[in-house]
């Protein structure tokens, strides 16, 4: 090559652009791409085993979410050093892909149609330098990921033969790419335009190492290595649909197909459809196509298992394994009974906290699958998590609460308070309440939680808010029952509650239970509830910001527990902290807080079940996290959490150093008399 004044390089240098060469190159490329399409089509046919599901509504918003998360690697990078390495590797490969695409554009479009070359001058300098840096970053990140997977070997990280194949292919692609560049530069730029080499620093190092190699050897080695590199790249593409490399496409698609909410809302079954022969799921054909597709998006990163509170305390539940077994059954044995495959102990261990879904870089949906299997167990097989759960369901069916206490006494806790019982208020239309307080079962019948109900009313009274309750017309919201699989009983309860809620035309419903709040605010919408619903922390925070709560600030140290059904299901974490701050709290955060909170163990209907499995209790595990902060007070805002923590403190034998309080108790203690 002769020296020139404008930096550039000849595309397909030493390879030639004869019809035979170009024809062979494109024949191999089209053959490989055709095989890739065919292999993905075969997988698509398996997805179709699942039930229909519309996940293409609001397609513009979905594509925007996909592009933001794919290009920004937001979910991948979250709380993970290996995720950051993966993201850097991804970005480096994107740059290399763009570089290859630009060569195609110049060679086969602008060069052929317009005789225009744009890979030259300053643009080429940026182009060449960017590709070299990207390739080097790719090699470094690959090395780091290789060391983590094959040398450090994290305890729960699954490594298979396909991981070895993937790493080898990627290494060969990156290293041969640099060697090809070095050989070309040693045969050309090193001798004619050495000043250009600074814009390909890695290639420059390799070229200088090859400075003593003869021109004939350089040309021959370059040509052989160029064709070898092409074949390896095409082999890499063919391997994609056969290995978990398919996540390159399936995760992006999964971002498009992601459930757009409301977050954690379950599908409401049509219990009156006589054409439905089976409710819930026992085989892959009972799931939706998206449930099967999730298995192809899973990259076995183990994050869901690492963060699962059930798994962390020795329960047999692995959210990742649930996804894998559904996928394995779909592709290998669609008639397989998934209940037997996954195991009932694993299925009943889930607290539906959504930690797995929140952390998953693939946007997989674990909880709905588990609840669907529970639905099949309860509605079709008559199986329950335990006799105590079956008894609680019987109690709800007869008395409207899992404790089995008399329905008529549901409002007794409010005796002596300035609260309107809606059915007894004769002038309710003339003198309407400001809010209807949906009390819930624990605040209605459990002595400890009745104090919380009374606190809420007292705070509202002090703030000039008139409160009404349904009293004996209120029944269990049905959330624990539903999460334990009894969709039929849940819907019966919900319909009766909705009828009573609508009867009084209230404008706002407030709950002190996150589970009641989540159910009324989301799930009841499918059955006709239209009234606005708020959790009391949000409601009281607004009152406090409006200076309506006559509260004195008194400093104290505490740690705060984010209820899963507030923070993960409803993104509520700032309002409770704002209230505590106004009360004078110095909050010492636990190691796991806000979106990274750890479950108390009561969600998913587990409040009704005994915890027999595992090497420790979930509530004790969380209490130990609170103890580690050194704070004397643990603040909660959920009746389930409060109950679990009081038991956990006793079991952890730390009653002298830690006390649990509901947030309402902190406020009441500071009300101006």
């Amino acid at each position: 090559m002769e020296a020139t004044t404008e930096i550039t390089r000849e595309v397909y240098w030493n390879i030639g652009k004869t019809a035979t060469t170009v024809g062979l190159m494109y024949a191999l490329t089209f053959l490989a791409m055709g095989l890739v399409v065919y292999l993905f089509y075969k997988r698509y046919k398996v997805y179709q085993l699942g039930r229909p599901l519309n996940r293409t509504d609001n397609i513009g918003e979905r594509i925007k979410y996909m592009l933001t998360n794919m290009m920004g690697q937001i979910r991948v990078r979250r709380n993970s050093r290996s995720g950051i390495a993966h993201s850097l590797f991804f970005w480096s490969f994107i740059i290399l892909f763009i570089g290859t695409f630009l060569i195609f554009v110049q060679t086969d479009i602008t060069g052929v149609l317009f005789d225009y070359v744009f890979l030259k001058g300053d643009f080429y300098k940026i182009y060449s330098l960017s590709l070299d840096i990207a390739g080097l970053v790719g090699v470094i990140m690959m090395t780091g990921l290789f060391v983590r997977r094959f040398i450090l070997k994290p305890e729960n990280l699954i490594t298979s033969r396909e991981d070895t194949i993937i790493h080898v292919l990627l290494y060969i692609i990156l290293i041969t790419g640099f060697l090809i560049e070095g050989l070309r530069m040693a045969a050309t730029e090193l001798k004619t335009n050495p000043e250009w080499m600074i814009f390909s620093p890695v290639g420059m190092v390799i070229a200088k190492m090859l400075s003593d190699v003869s021109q004939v050897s350089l040309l021959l080695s370059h040509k052989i290595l160029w064709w070898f590199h092409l074949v390896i790249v095409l082999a890499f593409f063919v391997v994609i649909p056969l290995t978990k490399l398919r996540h390159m496409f399936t995760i992006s698609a999964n971002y498009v197909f992601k459930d757009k909410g409301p977050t954690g809302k379950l599908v409401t079954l049509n219990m009156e459809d006589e054409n439905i022969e089976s409710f819930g799921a026992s085989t892959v054909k009972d799931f939706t196509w998206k449930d099967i597709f999730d298995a192809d998006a899973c990259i076995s990163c183990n994050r869901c298992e690492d963060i699962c509170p059930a798994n962390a305390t020795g329960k047999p539940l692995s959210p990742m394994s649930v996804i894998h077994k559904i996928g394995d059954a779909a592709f290998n044995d669609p008639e397989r009974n998934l209940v037997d495959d996954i195991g009932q102990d694993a299925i009943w261990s889930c607290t539906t906290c959504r930690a797995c879904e929140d952390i998953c870089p693939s946007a997989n949906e674990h909880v709905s699958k588990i609840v669907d299997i529970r639905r099949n167990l309860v509605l079709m097989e008559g199986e329950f998590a335990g006799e105590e759960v079956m008894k609680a369901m019987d109690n709800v069916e007869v008395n409207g609460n899992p404790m089995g206490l008399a329905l008529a006494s549901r409002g007794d806790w409010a005796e002596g308070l300035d609260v309107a019982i809606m059915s007894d208020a004769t002038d309710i239309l003339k003198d309407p309440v400001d809010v209807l307080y949906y009390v819930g079962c624990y605040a209605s019948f459990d002595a400890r939680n009745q104090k919380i109900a009374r606190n809420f009313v007292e705070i509202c009274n002090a703030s000039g808010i008139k409160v009404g309750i349904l009293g004996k017309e209120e029944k269990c919201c049905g959330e624990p029952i539903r999460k334990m699989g009894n969709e039929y009983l849940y819907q019966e309860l919900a319909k009766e509650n909705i009828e009573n809620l609508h009867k009084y035309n209230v404008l706002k419903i407030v709950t002190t239970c996150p589970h009641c709040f989540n159910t009324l605010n989301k799930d009841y919408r499918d059955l006709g509830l239209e009234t606005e619903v708020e959790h009391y922390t949000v409601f009281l925070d607004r009152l406090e910001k409006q200076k309506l709560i006559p509260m004195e600030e008194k400093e104290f140290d505490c740690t705060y527990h984010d209820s899963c059904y507030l923070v993960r299901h409803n993104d509520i974490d700032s309002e409770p902290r704002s209230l505590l701050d106004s009360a004078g709290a110095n909050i010492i955060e636990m190691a796991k807080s806000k979106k990274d909170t750890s479950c108390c163990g009561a969600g998913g209907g587990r409040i009704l079940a005994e915890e027999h499995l595992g090497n420790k209790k979930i509530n004790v595990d969380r209490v130990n996290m609170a103890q580690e902060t050194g704070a004397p007070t643990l603040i909660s805002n959920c009746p389930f959490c409060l109950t679990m923590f009081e038991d956990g403190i006793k079991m952890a034998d730390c009653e002298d150093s830690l006390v649990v309080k509901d947030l309402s108790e902190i406020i009441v203690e500071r009300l101006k008399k």
Side-chain angles (χ1 to χ4, degrees), residues 579-603:
L579 277 170
L580 285 170
D581 182 64
S582 297
N586 170 36
I587 304 174
I588 306 170
E589 298 286 5
M590 285 184 263
K592 294 184 177 182
S593 63
K594 298 184 179 180
K595 274 292 187 74
D596 297 319
T597 189
S598 186
C599 185
C600 73

Side-chain angles (χ1 to χ4, degrees), residues 378-379 384 388-407 410 441 445 474-478 480-482 486-494 496-497 608:
V378 172
L379 298 174
F384 298 87
E388 71 279 12
V389 175
M390 184 167 58
K391 183 179 179 181
M393 290 187 183
D394 288 340
N395 287 338
V396 170
E397 191 167 7
V398 175
N399 295 302
N401 65 84
M403 296 86 163
L405 298 174
L407 181 61
R410 194 173 182 101
C441 297
F445 295 108
E474 178 186 296
K475 287 189 175 181
C476 176
C477 71
I481 305 300
R482 189 185 203 198
N486 198 337
E487 178 77 9
Y488 177 81
L489 180 54
Y490 154 74
Q491 290 194 23
E492 292 297 306
L493 293 164
E496 189 171 346
N497 280 327
L608 308 177

Side-chain angles (χ1 to χ4, degrees), residues 503-528:
K503 190 189 307 183
Y504 301 105
N505 297 313
V506 294
L507 299 178
K508 185 189 292 289
I509 299 169
V510 178
T511 79
T512 47
C513 174
H515 298 264
C516 293
F517 164 65
N518 191 72
T519 302
L520 270 63
N521 192 44
K522 296 177 182 176
D523 299 321
Y524 273 28
R525 304 303 182 192
D526 286 349
L527 299 173

Side-chain angles (χ1 to χ4, degrees), residues 415-525:
E415 186 176 348
L417 293 176
D418 183 10
V419 58
I421 298 178
M422 305 301 282
S423 61
D424 297 341
T426 56
D427 295 327
I428 197 68
L429 294 178
K430 295 181 181 179
D431 187 19
V433 298
D434 295 306
V435 298
L436 188 146
Y437 174 29
Y438 189 91
V439 186
C441 297
Y442 269 71
S444 294
F445 295 108
D446 176 69
R448 178 69 177 89
N449 280 285
Q450 283 176 343
K451 296 178 183 178
I452 312 309
R454 296 178 68 86
N455 287 343
F456 175 69
V457 173
E458 186 177 345
I459 297 167
C460 287
N461 291 164
S463 306
I465 303 296
K466 185 174 181 179
V467 180
I469 62 172
L470 292 177
K472 62 184 179 182
E473 289 186 307
E474 178 186 296
K475 287 189 175 181
C476 176
C477 71
E479 191 270 346
I481 305 300
R482 189 185 203 198
K483 295 294 166 56
M484 273 292 174
N486 198 337
E487 178 77 9
Y488 177 81
L489 180 54
Y490 154 74
Q491 290 194 23
E492 292 297 306
L493 293 164
K495 289 173 183 176
E496 189 171 346
N497 280 327
I498 291 169
E499 182 180 351
N500 287 324
L501 289 166
H502 280 168
K503 190 189 307 183
Y504 301 105
N505 297 313
V506 294
L507 299 178
K508 185 189 292 289
I509 299 169
V510 178
T511 79
T512 47
C513 174
H515 298 264
C516 293
F517 164 65
N518 191 72
T519 302
L520 270 63
N521 192 44
K522 296 177 182 176
D523 299 321
Y524 273 28
R525 304 303 182 192

Side-chain angles (χ1 to χ4, degrees), residues 4 79 119 124 160-161 168 179 194 198 243 277 282 293 351 368 378-379 410 438 448 452 457 503 604 632 649 665:
T4 62
N79 296 352
L119 292 176
Y124 178 79
S160 63
R161 186 174 66 174
V168 168
L179 288 175
I198 193 173
T243 67
E277 297 180 357
S282 62
F293 188 82
T351 67
S368 59
V378 172
L379 298 174
R410 194 173 182 101
Y438 189 91
R448 178 69 177 89
I452 312 309
V457 173
K503 190 189 307 183
I649 287 172
E665 295 179 281

Side-chain angles (χ1 to χ4, degrees), residues 10 140 170 190 298 303 322 331 355 373 417 424 475 554 557 631:
E10 179 186 348
I140 294 171
L170 287 170
L190 184 63
C298 179
R303 294 193 203 178
V322 172
F331 286 93
I373 296 174
L417 293 176
D424 297 341
K475 287 189 175 181
K554 297 178 183 178
D557 292 337

Side-chain angles (χ1 to χ4, degrees), residues 551-625:
M551 180 171 58
E552 296 178 321
E553 183 177 331
K554 297 178 183 178
E555 292 187 8
F556 70 108
D557 292 337
C558 69
T559 188
Y560 172 72
H561 167 74
D562 290 277
S563 163
C564 301
Y565 271 74
L566 276 191
V567 70
R568 288 207 190 93
H569 286 256
N570 292 285
D571 293 315
I572 297 173
D573 60 18
S574 62
E575 292 88 345
R577 287 175 170 79
S578 176
L579 277 170
L580 285 170
D581 182 64
S582 297
N586 170 36
I587 304 174
I588 306 170
E589 298 286 5
M590 285 184 263
K592 294 184 177 182
S593 63
K594 298 184 179 180
K595 274 292 187 74
D596 297 319
T597 189
S598 186
C599 185
C600 73
R606 292 296 313 175
I607 189 70
L608 308 177
E610 297 292 337
E611 189 176 348
H612 298 296
L613 301 174
N615 50 34
K616 54 184 172 179
K617 305 285 188 183
I618 295 176
N619 57 341
V620 174
D621 195 47
R622 186 57 169 166
V623 164
N624 288 335
M625 293 182 204

